[in-house]
Amino acid sequence: MDTLALEAKSAKNDGAPTPAPSAKPRPKPPKKPKRIVYFEVEIVAAKTKEKLLLLDKVEPTATILEIKSMFHKSHPHWYAARQSLCLDPKGKPLRDEEILQELPVGTTATFYFKDLGAQIAWGTVFLIECIGPLVIYLLFYFRLPLIYAPKYEFTTSKHWVVHIACMCHTFHYAKRILETLFVHRFSHGTMPMRNIFKNCSYHWCFAAWMAYYINHPLYTPPYYGEIQVKTALGIFLFCQLGNFSIHMSLRNIKHAGSKAKKIPYPTKNPFTWIFALVSCPNYTYEWELGLDSR
């Protein structure tokens, strides 16, 4: 019986279909590399329409700044900050961060070039603007020769308010120099060097005009005396602190190297609450300083 059962079981197993081996998945065909459509960029002088450079095989993701760098290699005297590229001879200059493929041009793009002239960094401009008044005022304070009568050369004023005025003026411009070096973040890297005289003339001439009368040997102290001086000094310190608070707020909303502009809002600092009324309260505080100095 056991023998017959084993034979029957063996026959049953022999008759069962053998499971087919699992088929291996076919390997995916390699992806075809995306075809890059290169651009041809032509740079033409905006005034004369003279062709200055033809760039072929420019990548579509190239920025205007990168195109300016390519142009600089061909024309070394026109560095990137000196270049202005437009889509139209009288059009608006393109921003450095704009991308070639996002511009309203075909695969052959024509840019019109304008020479902005020699450039100077904005940080340098601020330093020149501030160092000038600082030095000019001290020349009058120490009464160097050829400023006042010879008998007053290298003399000092007998009025204590004159010395306070010198300390306040020196503090103001020393603060501005330090802020230029460590606080300010500039949206624009450079400006035309020919504008440096226009920018500095106001600060330098106003400092000389103010210093001449304050440090003059015939200067008379304020009419209301000590009360007027202490009130003005309090306003000066208030405005200096307010101006510095605004500069720090503007710094905090702008990342280093970024040109993005954000709208500032009041913070917990009471000096920034004026943002609810004006957009540039740092100049509001400086305007009050100007009135105070008068």
Side-chain angles (χ1 to χ4, degrees), residues 133 136-137 140 148 202-213:
I136 289 172
Y137 193 97
F140 286 88
Y148 302 113
Y202 165 76
H203 297 278
W204 290 31
C205 293
F206 182 74
W209 174 78
M210 185 171 60
Y212 176 82
Y213 289 103

Side-chain angles (χ1 to χ4, degrees), residues 39-58:
F39 281 65
E40 187 178 84
V41 176
E42 183 182 34
I43 299 179
V44 179
K47 290 185 178 180
T48 63
K49 304 299 186 294
E50 176 189 357
K51 185 164 74 172
L52 301 175
L53 183 65
L54 179 64
L55 299 170
D56 58 349
K57 289 190 176 182
V58 179

Side-chain angles (χ1 to χ4, degrees), residues 125-139:
V125 173
F126 272 51
L127 290 176
I128 295 174
E129 285 181 358
C130 298
I131 292 175
L134 182 62
V135 174
I136 289 172
Y137 193 97
L138 293 176
L139 296 179

Side-chain angles (χ1 to χ4, degrees), residues 242-262:
N243 181 262
F244 176 74
S245 299
I246 298 301
H247 285 163
M248 290 303 299
S249 296
L250 294 174
R251 170 189 168 85
N252 293 336
I253 64 173
K254 183 183 291 186
H255 299 290
S258 173
K259 293 185 178 181
K261 298 179 180 178
K262 298 180 181 180

Side-chain angles (χ1 to χ4, degrees), residues 4-30:
L4 292 174
L6 289 172
E7 290 178 356
K9 186 175 181 181
S10 177
K12 186 176 180 181
N13 291 338
D14 291 341
T18 306
S22 58
K24 294 182 178 179
R26 293 182 179 180
K28 295 182 179 180

Side-chain angles (χ1 to χ4, degrees), residues 4-247:
L4 292 174
L6 289 172
E7 290 178 356
K9 186 175 181 181
S10 177
K12 186 176 180 181
N13 291 338
D14 291 341
T18 306
S22 58
K24 294 182 178 179
R26 293 182 179 180
K28 295 182 179 180
K31 291 183 178 180
K32 294 182 179 180
K34 291 183 179 180
R35 183 185 174 190
I36 300 177
V37 179
Y38 290 98
F39 281 65
E40 187 178 84
V41 176
E42 183 182 34
I43 299 179
V44 179
K47 290 185 178 180
T48 63
K49 304 299 186 294
E50 176 189 357
K51 185 164 74 172
L52 301 175
L53 183 65
L54 179 64
L55 299 170
D56 58 349
K57 289 190 176 182
V58 179
E59 294 187 0
T61 57
T63 62
I64 295 299
L65 181 59
E66 291 172 341
I67 294 174
K68 288 181 178 180
S69 299
M70 299 176 195
F71 184 63
H72 172 55
K73 291 179 181 178
S74 177
H75 299 79
H77 57 289
W78 285 327
Y79 44 89
R82 188 168 180 164
Q83 302 174 34
S84 172
L85 298 180
C86 312
L87 294 176
D88 185 82
K90 297 181 180 179
K92 186 179 179 181
L94 298 170
R95 301 189 308 273
D96 287 346
E97 60 270 18
E98 292 191 75
I99 300 174
L100 181 59
Q101 65 182 359
E102 297 177 359
L103 297 174
V105 295
T107 53
T108 301
T110 301
F111 293 138
Y112 294 91
F113 165 77
K114 295 178 184 178
D115 183 11
L116 299 177
Q119 300 288 301
I120 184 172
W122 268 107
T124 306
V125 173
F126 272 51
L127 290 176
I128 295 174
E129 285 181 358
C130 298
I131 292 175
L134 182 62
V135 174
I136 289 172
Y137 193 97
L138 293 176
L139 296 179
F140 286 88
Y141 176 75
F142 291 111
R143 295 176 178 173
L144 266 64
L146 304 179
I147 297 179
Y148 302 113
K151 65 179 181 179
Y152 296 115
E153 292 179 0
F154 298 107
T155 59
T156 58
S157 176
K158 61 182 179 180
H159 303 296
W160 60 278
V161 66
V162 173
H163 306 298
I164 292 178
C166 180
M167 288 188 289
C168 290
H169 188 274
T170 303
F171 174 81
H172 172 69
Y173 280 100
K175 165 184 164 291
R176 291 191 60 175
I177 292 172
L178 293 175
E179 286 178 339
T180 300
L181 295 173
F182 304 109
V183 177
H184 292 324
R185 288 173 176 168
F186 301 97
S187 298
H188 300 284
T190 62
M191 79 164 199
M193 189 175 291
R194 61 180 176 271
N195 292 343
I196 188 69
F197 303 101
K198 180 177 65 177
N199 284 45
C200 292
S201 60
Y202 165 76
H203 297 278
W204 290 31
C205 293
F206 182 74
W209 174 78
M210 185 171 60
Y212 176 82
Y213 289 103
I214 294 177
N215 298 285
H216 198 282
L218 301 180
Y219 171 82
T220 55
Y223 180 78
Y224 293 102
E226 188 175 340
I227 296 177
Q228 184 176 347
V229 173
K230 289 183 177 179
T231 302
L233 182 60
I235 296 174
F236 170 82
L237 296 174
F238 175 85
C239 292
Q240 288 291 339
L241 186 56
N243 181 262
F244 176 74
S245 299
I246 298 301
H247 285 163

